[in-house]
Amino acid sequence: MNEIARVSDFDVKDYLRLNLMPHFMCPGCGHGIALRSLLWAVHELGIDRNRLAVVCGIGCSGRTGAYVDANTFHTTHGRPLAFATGLKLARPDLTVVVITGDGDCLAIGGNHLIHACRRNLDITCLMLNNEIYGMTGGQVSPTTTATRVTSTTPTGNAEPTFDACKLADAAGASFVGREVTRQAPALKNLIRAAIEHDGFSFVEVMSDCTEIYGRKNELGESPEMILSQKSDMVPDGLGNAPDQPFRPNRMATGILARHARPEYGRTYRERSAELRAGTEG
Amino acid sequence: MSSSLHSLQGNKACALAAIAAGCRFFAGYPITPSSEIAEQMSRELPRVDGVFVQMEDEIASLAAVIGASLGGSKAMTATSGPGFSLMQENLGFAAMTEVPCVIINVMRGGPSTGMPTKPAQGDIMQARWGTHGDHPIIVVAPASVQEVYAETIRAFNLSERFRVPVVVLYDQIIAHLIETVELPPKDSIHTVERKWASGTEEGFKPYAETDDLVPVMARPGDGHRLHVTGLTHTEDGFPTQKPDLASRALNRILDKIERNRAEIDKVEQIETADAGTVIVAVGIAARAARRAVQTLRGEGIRAGLVRPVTLWPFPDEALRAATANARNVLVPEMNAGQLIHEVQRVVGGRARVSGLNRVDGEPIPPAAIAQKVRELVADE
Ligand SMILES: Cc1ncc(C[n+]2csc(CCOP(=O)(O)OP(=O)(O)O)c2C)c(N)n1
Ligand code: SF4
């Protein structure tokens, strides 16, 4: 028995649509580890997959949802949080997980992210941050590290980048965390805590686009990219190095913020029930 | 219970009709002249255990509506021109994924911010062709507050029946007009419920070709774990790029509307049996045209009116029949000429087609229509 099998009876194959295999991700793409970690968390939490809804945007990140044997929605670019808002408000009984990319979530969907954070519905948002637009062939993203080359920044990225977790925290997300794909068990634990959290949870998963981003910037093959996460990350919420003007190389991981805020859907339903009781009485 | 008479504003009638049709979810973003619908829904929905949410923009609004509908709620949004433009991508998504939803578009002058408080009919083509690609759509165009009530209910029923987004299109005058409306007793209102799959059927295909071309829907939580994607998909819901499967998938969603037109079409015709001049108009312009027909008939001029209540798909057959003996067709509309293109396509050289257009934020008065018809007749 291998290590994983001993500590857990989780078999990712139980949660995948195996008839869709082989999947279309490139070899070494970090999105697979992120997906596996999500399913592992779902397994540990004992979530009935009939009651699991995975809502995705558009991008390589957005294509991961289809492989999950649950209720899966592949929506429009940047809008999965808005779709999920309607779904969760209409169906509070479902566990709603959004999988989105850095472009999907922070560029075209930035407005929806900040308002989803503020609204605080019980949705878990996994943003797979590979610092690039993978699906469209490697254009710059709001999270591309400064100076790196992309197909639309031929002289190196000169724009400052977002710290997505700080953004989510500032916008009101009641749970914020970040983890690297190198640490799949830690990532699983973080996603698990995020799903368990009652309110909007934002999880930034440091993924890697080996094929396009890695190649263009000579970041090495998948193992090198994943291992580089070690030097780039500071475990357990120690905070970012304050002297980094652009994307901080040293980013905090783990649970970065947790606030007790009323979950919006419940608040709305409670008030509606009070209103109905008042009019009937 | 019997019907009751109420003095209602168009937008309020729309909201009350939505609730009566079973709408339990509204997501929207305020915009004149549609905002009263959102305001009314925010008051009504909590009373019937529904949900109102004001989203951050119109893109999010329609996305949330589609999400709620996929969850099983009858859902709608309301907007006006600029907001309707923002909804177009998701409108295409709803058409492609066959998600029932109702979109109210109270037209205002355009392009751009145009004239927010003035009436216009500039979205006739946007309602049909606004999103990218060939797509199915149903658009209904009420012309009175009473009809706003009836057509909003019908919009929900058509949307649920055919799994297609339905647009209710009217202008600012009808939105803000207060008219006496007869509200039918609640138990007499016919509502259509979605066909749901049971969660136990083996080999269930969420986009299977049924006899009427409308697939049965599966509700999350019931057991079928379906995949919904805006990508061209096969009967099982997963993406395909195979030419034969792709054309089949697109043609089915187009055909489900075309082949079921008997259930969808609705046209009002006035004095068209012997009409030498047929007026074709919708909304407030059609009301002016109705008055013009009365005036002209009084003068012995054989004028008639064709008013598409179901505006899209366009009532080709009814118009063809109504214009069989006509020498002139007049299309008065509050835009620079949109409806006239469809009329020309149908009438196609058999009669002279003329337009009467106004783009200054004012309605077209009956007298202007009557005068134009007199000129056309004199010129025959
Ligand atoms: C409205 C719209 N604009 C642009 C696109 C093209 N597009 C598809 S995916 C994508 C970017 C995806 O990047 P990201 O969200 O970072 O995901 P990744 O592919 O890197 O996982 C873009 C711009 C689109 N599908 N829709
Ligand atoms: S292009 Fe990049 S992000 Fe997309 S699957 Fe390949 S490695 Fe992953």
Side-chain angles (χ1 to χ4, degrees):
Chain A
M1 236 194 248
N2 64 29
E3 186 70 14
I4 299 295
R6 252 191 293 115
V7 295
S8 163
D9 60 349
F10 169 62
D11 183 349
V12 73
K13 292 202 279 301
D14 292 344
Y15 290 85
L16 293 175
R17 290 174 169 146
L18 293 174
N19 58 325
L20 299 186
M21 299 296 148
H23 60 74
F24 96 133
M25 301 292 149
C26 309
C29 175
H31 289 3
I33 301 175
L35 188 66
R36 184 178 193 282
S37 304
L38 166 66
L39 298 177
W40 191 1
V42 164
H43 174 79
E44 287 196 354
L45 290 169
I47 295 168
D48 171 5
R49 72 194 85 177
N50 284 321
R51 300 207 166 261
L52 173 66
V54 179
V55 185
C56 293
I58 302 290
C60 298
S61 50
R63 295 296 280 272
T64 57
Y67 300 112
V68 181
D69 186 15
N71 305 282
T72 52
F73 306 98
H74 183 222
T75 66
T76 49
H77 188 36
R79 320 300 172 195
L81 284 169
F83 277 84
T85 299
L87 181 62
K88 183 68 185 179
L89 279 170
R91 293 293 302 279
D93 59 310
L94 301 176
T95 299
V96 179
V97 175
V98 168
I99 302 178
T100 172
D102 40 276
D104 199 63
C105 187
L106 296 176
I108 192 166
N111 196 26
H112 310 308
L113 172 67
I114 57 176
H115 290 282
C117 291
R118 177 181 65 82
R119 210 168 273 129
N120 201 33
L121 265 173
D122 187 18
I123 292 170
T124 302
C125 173
L126 304 186
M127 187 190 86
L128 312 190
N129 182 0
N130 56 8
E131 299 190 31
I132 197 83
Y133 286 21
M135 175 130 273
T136 43
Q139 298 83 7
V140 73
S141 145
T143 55
T144 303
T145 297
T147 74
R148 279 192 178 155
V149 175
T150 73
S151 48
T152 48
T153 54
T155 57
N157 179 27
E159 286 188 17
T161 66
F162 272 131
D163 181 330
C165 288
K166 278 189 183 164
L167 179 71
D169 190 13
S174 53
F175 181 106
V176 180
R178 179 189 289 127
E179 200 43 84
V180 294
T181 52
R182 188 173 61 87
Q183 306 271 27
L187 177 56
K188 175 263 296 175
N189 287 338
L190 178 65
I191 296 173
R192 193 181 150 150
I195 295 174
E196 281 181 303
H197 174 77
D198 182 33
F200 186 78
S201 318
F202 179 80
V203 174
E204 180 178 21
V205 182
M206 301 309 294
S207 188
D208 62 272
C209 174
T210 44
E211 265 320 291
I212 296 171
Y213 194 55
R215 226 174 264 281
K216 221 171 216 145
N217 289 283
E218 294 170 2
L219 301 174
E221 299 292 320
S222 167
E224 283 85 45
M225 284 187 81
I226 288 178
L227 284 174
S228 75
Q229 291 177 340
K230 188 173 183 179
S231 55
D232 286 354
M233 302 296 154
V234 186
D236 297 330
L238 291 179
N240 298 321
D243 56 347
Q244 296 288 341
F246 295 123
R247 177 188 187 74
N249 272 337
R250 294 175 69 74
M251 298 174 100
T253 57
I255 297 174
L256 305 183
R258 187 148 43 177
H259 310 281
R261 293 202 175 111
E263 197 272 331
Y264 173 66
R266 190 173 327 102
T267 307
Y268 185 90
R269 287 190 300 278
E270 279 168 7
R271 290 206 188 158
S272 302
E274 279 165 26
L275 177 84
R276 289 196 300 277
T279 41
E280 278 155 28
Chain B
M1 268 211 288
S2 56
S3 323
S4 51
L5 289 178
H6 299 261
S7 199
L8 282 182
Q9 187 213 47
N11 280 344
K12 184 168 179 184
C14 174
L16 296 181
I19 299 288
C23 176
R24 292 297 177 267
F25 185 90
F26 182 103
Y29 191 80
I31 182 166
T32 305
S34 76
S35 298
E36 295 87 358
I37 302 173
E39 289 166 356
Q40 187 72 22
M41 290 305 270
S42 76
R43 292 192 287 270
E44 299 289 334
L45 279 167
R47 294 178 194 283
V48 292
D49 204 11
V51 178
F52 168 91
V53 60
Q54 184 169 314
M55 295 299 287
E56 49 274 16
D57 59 31
E58 288 85 350
I59 300 174
S61 299
L62 188 53
V65 161
I66 296 168
S69 182
L70 282 165
S73 291
K74 290 188 182 180
M76 84 159 184
T77 185
T79 188
S80 179
F84 192 50
S85 299
L86 287 181
M87 289 178 183
Q88 292 296 344
E89 187 196 13
N90 280 332
L91 196 146
F93 180 88
M96 183 63 141
T97 54
E98 301 179 73
V99 177
C101 55
V102 172
I103 300 131
I104 315 292
N105 178 15
V106 184
M107 288 179 280
R108 60 192 242 171
S112 193
T113 3
M115 288 188 276
T117 59
K118 296 278 198 167
Q121 298 183 319
D123 299 350
I124 286 175
M125 281 299 170
Q126 190 190 190
R128 175 63 193 94
W129 293 114
T131 201
H132 56 290
D134 300 286
H135 60 280
I137 193 93
I138 296 175
V139 181
V140 298
S144 67
V145 179
Q146 183 76 58
E147 207 173 55
V148 166
Y149 189 86
E151 287 303 305
T152 301
I153 293 175
R154 199 167 74 97
F156 273 96
N157 289 346
L158 290 170
S159 179
E160 298 290 327
R161 165 76 180 89
F162 295 108
R163 294 188 56 180
V164 67
V166 177
V167 178
V168 182
L169 191 70
Y170 55 92
D171 49 67
Q172 179 271 341
I173 298 183
I174 290 163
H176 290 160
L177 200 63
I178 296 177
E179 293 186 301
T180 305
V181 178
E182 194 179 332
L183 296 187
K186 284 218 166 61
D187 51 13
S188 77
I189 295 172
H190 171 65
T191 59
V192 172
E193 305 308 321
R194 229 171 272 181
K195 277 188 285 179
W196 290 114
S198 85
T200 52
E201 302 142 11
E202 283 284 321
F204 171 74
K205 288 202 163 74
Y207 293 98
E209 272 184 30
T210 51
D211 286 345
D212 63 1
L213 302 181
V214 185
V216 174
M217 247 178 128
R219 189 169 19 208
D222 286 358
H224 290 303
R225 298 184 288 272
L226 71 155
H227 183 57
V228 175
T229 178
L231 290 166
T232 302
H233 42 265
T234 56
E235 290 194 319
D236 61 8
F238 292 94
T240 181
Q241 297 207 39
K242 293 203 178 99
D244 54 333
L245 295 176
S247 72
R248 219 176 143 141
L250 181 63
N251 283 320
R252 179 180 60 72
I253 60 175
L254 294 170
D255 286 350
K256 76 177 172 183
I257 302 303
E258 271 311 310
R259 274 209 232 154
N260 291 297
R261 287 188 65 147
E263 289 181 61
I264 299 168
D265 286 358
K266 192 170 174 185
V267 196
E268 186 193 17
Q269 297 203 39
I270 293 172
E271 310 260 23
T272 50
D274 65 340
T277 303
V278 172
I279 305 169
V280 186
V282 294
I284 199 71
R287 284 173 71 152
R290 205 184 283 156
R291 169 63 63 82
V293 168
Q294 273 175 8
T295 308
L296 292 163
R297 285 276 165 178
E299 296 168 15
I301 297 176
R302 288 182 295 113
L305 170 69
V306 171
R307 179 173 73 92
V309 179
T310 302
L311 175 55
W312 302 107
F314 194 72
D316 291 24
E317 249 171 64
L319 182 60
R320 208 169 283 130
T323 53
N325 302 311
R327 302 181 68 128
N328 275 299
V329 177
L330 177 65
V331 189
E333 47 183 334
M334 286 142 70
N335 56 47
Q338 297 192 15
L339 191 60
I340 194 168
H341 294 298
E342 278 308 288
V343 175
Q344 269 160 345
R345 179 181 61 77
V346 173
V347 175
R350 290 185 295 114
R352 177 169 58 157
V353 180
S354 314
L356 180 62
N357 305 87
R358 194 157 184 177
V359 291
D360 60 354
E362 294 295 320
I364 303 174
I369 299 173
Q371 184 52 31
K372 180 80 183 178
V373 172
R374 284 185 208 108
E375 285 166 22
L376 290 173
V377 171
D379 197 37
E380 268 171 17

